[in-house]
Amino acid sequence: MSALVLTALSKRFGTTCAVDDITLTIPQNAFFSILGPSGCGKSTLLRLIAGLERPDKGTITIDGQDMTHVPAYRRPTNMIFQDYALFPHLSVADNIAYGLHNDNLSRTQINQRVTDAMALVRIEPYRARRPHQLSGGQRQRTALARALVKRPKILLLDEPLSALDRQLREIMREELVRLKDHLGITFVFVTHDQDDALCLSDHIAVMFDGQCKQTATPQELYHRPRNIEIATFMGKMNTFKAQVIDDDPHNPRLDCDQLGSWHIDPTRADTTPGDCMIGLRPESLRLCRSHDDADITTPGHIERVSFLGDRSLIHARLSRGASILVSHTHPAIEGQQEVLVGFSREDVLILNNEDP
Ligand code: ATP
């Protein structure tokens, strides 16, 4: 049985359609991310799942039970808010215990649950501190413990890493994965950060303008995005106008003003004849010594090199005019020189502007 099923869910605020007819199935024990730019409706979707907003249309089913009209406090979900929403006047332990007071538990049971939750997120040494006496990471752990102490079936996380610096963010990513594996609960994680979504999730739903545009594994989304909008949102992508020509249907061709013309595999699912866009990730491109070093090569000129530590990003200008980004690992490379940019045929994504 799926942990969570959303069916044709919609929510409007005045003229804004924050969530527009979303249907999603989230498996048990998944780390499921909802990824999209600011204002696309991610938080509203999470609040609908939590019961903090009422949908205009659609249904929400958790563990096979219709929860659409069940109030938030009776849903088996718990939410961690972007700003953690800790009570400033309560200690870490009291913040964590707060949600248990209406659960008919004895003081001993509450203390045990709080101690267990603090151990789970490694916050015990700070149990007596107030939120303002904690670092961002410690506040985040307290919020996690406060949500987990209720033993939810689904943990809803609204951009919980966004306030953390890069190093802490990486530590907390590891913590979240460890917790998910250890607890066997379903995580629904909202973020606008592609890196967080790619490295944490089993599945990602990409949202734009209130709609869910593609749901897939991180690998599928990155390597087989459904359209240009998703392709460019999921990391850097060079895009060019092109045409699929099928004079000979057994041997179709791709024509691109900037990159040239080459035959493509007719069994590719994306080879509809006519205008298209093509995409090439910077890491699919390389600098070649000769035309024999890659399926397709095209001359250009390095304009600028951005050094990124483990690699460099080359900003090149093709001799036919377009600019192109090439990821380059070694050796170090100088700017302002003529180069030959090459790539393999199968690394070219053929993309549409519209959803199929
Ligand atoms: P962010 O990443 O910036 O938090 P988001 O993707 O979570 O954005 P939402 O907060 O869900 O987006 O907002 C979606 C749209 O709905 C936005 O246009 C927002 O202004 C609007 N909206 C959200 N809540 C309300 C509200 N209570 N009243 C009116 N409009 C709202």
Side-chain angles (χ1 to χ4, degrees):
M1 193 195 308
S2 304
L4 176 66
V5 180
L6 309 179
T7 311
L9 205 61
S10 293
K11 176 70 184 176
R12 202 170 250 292
F13 297 108
T15 54
T16 307
C17 196
V19 170
D20 186 4
D21 196 30
I22 285 194
T23 294
L24 275 181
T25 299
I26 299 182
Q28 296 282 355
N29 304 339
F31 200 116
F32 191 99
S33 292
I34 298 165
L35 171 69
S38 180
C40 73
K42 309 178 295 291
S43 300
T44 306
L45 185 60
L46 211 60
R47 292 172 64 80
L48 286 168
I49 299 168
L52 302 171
E53 298 283 357
R54 290 168 70 93
D56 300 328
K57 275 194 277 179
T59 57
I60 299 166
T61 307
I62 299 176
D63 265 358
Q65 305 233 328
D66 185 355
M67 291 278 152
T68 317
H69 303 292
V70 173
Y73 67 90
R74 290 187 45 212
R75 295 191 188 192
T77 56
N78 221 320
M79 183 146 161
I80 299 178
F81 296 91
Q82 201 165 354
D83 60 1
Y84 312 141
L86 297 173
F87 298 115
H89 57 290
L90 296 183
S91 67
V92 165
D94 289 343
N95 259 288
I96 298 169
Y98 188 85
L100 295 177
H101 290 311
N102 292 327
D103 286 0
N104 286 327
L105 298 172
S106 68
R107 184 175 286 274
T108 317
Q109 285 171 315
I110 291 179
N111 285 343
Q112 190 56 53
R113 292 265 288 266
V114 170
T115 303
D116 290 348
M118 285 193 298
L120 205 57
V121 301
R122 302 168 186 167
I123 194 79
E124 306 104 308
Y126 310 98
R127 62 176 303 144
R129 291 204 194 168
R130 304 258 177 93
H132 74 272
Q133 297 168 316
L134 300 173
S135 71
Q138 291 157 353
R139 276 199 288 275
Q140 217 257 7
R141 284 167 202 270
T142 306
L144 256 173
R146 192 176 60 173
L148 293 172
V149 80
K150 295 281 287 179
R151 299 182 180 164
K153 287 184 177 160
I154 302 179
L155 187 63
L156 307 169
L157 304 107
D158 191 357
E159 307 246 13
L161 306 182
S162 61
L164 307 180
D165 66 41
R166 188 172 164 165
Q167 210 172 5
L168 198 51
R169 203 180 177 100
E170 278 169 16
I171 294 169
M172 288 314 298
R173 280 179 185 161
E174 298 299 320
E175 287 281 288
L176 289 178
V177 172
R178 180 184 67 83
L179 282 173
K180 196 218 83 168
D181 292 344
H182 178 74
L183 296 170
I185 61 178
T186 305
F187 280 44
V188 182
F189 180 86
V190 152
T191 182
H192 63 268
D193 186 293
Q194 297 82 349
D195 290 343
D196 282 348
L198 287 174
C199 80
L200 283 168
S201 322
D202 312 311
H203 289 85
I204 303 174
V206 181
M207 246 182 116
F208 286 106
D209 301 328
Q211 294 179 345
C212 184
K213 300 289 187 176
Q214 186 173 3
T215 304
T217 62
Q219 292 79 4
E220 276 177 278
L221 265 184
Y222 191 79
H223 294 297
R224 293 276 165 249
R226 183 181 278 178
N227 61 28
I228 282 279
E229 196 179 28
I230 298 169
T232 48
F233 187 67
M234 300 302 301
K236 292 193 167 36
M237 176 74 91
N238 298 292
T239 56
F240 304 94
K241 285 185 181 163
Q243 269 191 317
V244 175
I245 315 264
D246 71 338
D247 305 340
D248 174 1
H250 299 297
N251 206 8
R253 213 174 68 236
L254 199 63
D255 266 5
C256 173
D257 281 352
Q258 293 295 326
L259 301 174
S261 178
W262 60 93
H263 287 287
I264 47 178
D265 178 357
T267 60
R268 278 180 75 143
D270 50 5
T271 57
T272 323
D275 290 342
C276 63
M277 295 292 289
I278 58 175
L280 271 163
R281 296 267 180 219
E283 63 271 23
S284 300
L285 293 159
R286 56 189 180 276
L287 301 184
C288 298
R289 287 178 195 282
S290 83
H291 291 288
D292 298 331
D293 286 352
D295 288 348
I296 319 292
T297 53
T298 185
H301 174 84
I302 297 182
E303 291 187 325
R304 190 161 64 83
V305 179
S306 308
F307 177 64
L308 301 173
D310 57 343
R311 73 205 142 91
S312 297
L313 204 53
I314 296 172
H315 304 249
R317 173 85 44 198
L318 299 179
S319 56
R320 300 178 199 186
S323 60
I324 196 164
L325 285 176
V326 181
S327 181
H328 180 79
T329 37
H330 64 90
I333 186 120
E334 298 288 316
Q336 305 302 330
Q337 56 171 306
E338 301 303 316
V339 285
L340 206 50
V341 177
F343 55 92
S344 304
R345 259 179 261 250
E346 64 266 22
D347 289 337
V348 178
L349 278 168
I350 304 178
L351 296 159
N352 226 296
N353 281 320
E354 303 299 322
D355 287 331

